[in-house]
Amino acid sequence: DGGITQSPKYLFRKEGQNVTLSCEQNLNHDAMYWYRQDPGQGLRLIYYSQIVNDFQKGDIAEGYSVSREKKESFPLTVTSAQKNPTAFYLCASSGDTDTQYFGPGTRLTVL
Amino acid sequence: GEDVEQSLFLSVREGDSSVINCTYTDSSSTYLYWYKQEPGAGLQLLTYIFSNMDMKQDQRLTVLLNKKDKHLSLRIADTQTGDSAIYFCAETPRLNYGGATNKLIFGTGTLLAVQP
């Protein structure tokens, strides 16, 4: 059963903590993406990776970090430097057609 | 610059047709997409159209593209209560040298409310 999984579904963070959101895909896609969604807004690109061991900043990378050690996995760390981290985080991947397919999302809340 | 605009809200009765509109600014866009998002869920790809096409039909969905006016629309025939969701339009702009990017520019989404 191919697809994109994200975990956890809900995540709570205290002020000053780093947290890592997981994204895994078994679609054999080369490219993976992280987006942030705020209420009433479209999606904004945080980071993307077109190939293993390589990634680029998106439009709102400050306060976030990523790694791409395996093709299947693209974890996102929300650091304490991110001033307003409460949001819905969506991971996506794309293959040869460049069409992006999305995971179910992780809702992060800062307490 | 790159910008995608959508109206915020559309209300229709069950069984009627829905038309969700989108305007974009990058005339060199390669693909244009429609995604559906149900409450608390990720985005589901509904359909897409290549920029050299002007229409695409897929069961109850019809996409119309007017490149001259940079206008994209999604028509849902026989709208059902299960179609209630937020619908996002997105484009993939071209790079300066003409190559395609895999960066998606999203609109703010249109909330479709279907009344029984």
Side-chain angles (χ1 to χ4, degrees):
Chain A
D1 194 16
I4 304 171
T5 57
Q6 291 185 241
S7 62
K9 187 172 175 65
Y10 299 98
L11 186 57
F12 298 90
R13 190 193 95 171
K14 293 182 180 177
E15 296 272 358
Q17 277 185 337
N18 292 353
V19 290
T20 298
L21 283 60
S22 168
C23 178
E24 304 275 334
Q25 54 98 0
N26 60 5
L27 301 168
N28 201 33
H29 286 169
D30 284 319
M32 297 186 73
Y33 313 80
W34 274 106
Y35 292 89
R36 172 185 170 132
Q37 184 180 26
D38 293 285
Q41 298 189 30
L43 278 65
R44 293 182 289 167
L45 182 65
I46 304 172
Y47 268 99
Y48 64 103
S49 167
Q50 293 180 288
I51 200 166
V52 175
N53 292 322
D54 185 54
F55 48 83
Q56 286 81 40
K57 293 181 179 179
D59 299 320
I60 55 164
E62 186 174 350
Y64 299 97
S65 66
V66 293
S67 62
R68 187 85 187 278
E69 297 176 2
K70 298 188 299 181
K71 188 175 187 177
E72 303 80 21
S73 179
F74 191 40
L76 173 75
T77 297
V78 184
T79 75
S80 56
Q82 169 50 239
K83 297 306 177 191
N84 186 21
T86 295
F88 191 48
Y89 291 86
L90 288 158
C91 177
S93 69
S94 66
D96 293 341
T97 65
D98 292 334
T99 299
Q100 293 185 28
Y101 297 90
F102 284 80
T106 293
R107 186 165 300 280
L108 173 63
T109 303
V110 174
L111 301 174
Chain B
E2 305 157 347
D3 197 16
V4 178
E5 294 188 355
Q6 301 179 239
S7 52
L8 291 179
F9 182 73
L10 175 66
S11 179
V12 299
R13 288 187 180 274
E14 191 173 19
D16 288 350
S17 291
S18 307
V19 180
I20 302 171
N21 295 301
C22 170
T23 57
Y24 59 97
T25 55
D26 191 334
S27 59
S28 64
S29 288
T30 51
Y31 286 95
L32 294 126
Y33 298 86
W34 284 105
Y35 286 89
K36 175 184 180 183
Q37 186 180 35
E38 296 182 3
L43 271 66
Q44 173 194 350
L45 177 67
L46 285 180
T47 187
Y48 61 91
I49 188 167
F50 190 55
S51 56
N52 68 353
M53 300 169 65
D54 52 20
M55 187 183 90
K56 181 179 181 180
Q57 187 158 1
D58 183 2
Q59 299 183 333
R60 293 191 297 123
L61 305 179
T62 302
V63 178
L64 295 178
L65 175 60
N66 181 329
K67 285 195 72 175
K68 175 175 172 290
D69 294 337
K70 298 177 193 171
H71 182 264
L72 182 73
S73 68
L74 174 70
R75 178 177 180 269
I76 305 173
D78 187 24
T79 312
Q80 303 297 307
T81 54
D83 294 323
S84 293
I86 300 175
Y87 290 81
F88 289 95
C89 167
E91 62 166 346
T92 51
R94 281 194 179 274
L95 295 168
N96 288 338
Y97 62 83
T101 75
N102 50 12
K103 179 180 178 180
L104 277 177
I105 309 296
F106 283 89
T108 53
T110 298
L111 175 61
L112 174 64
V114 182
Q115 311 300 325

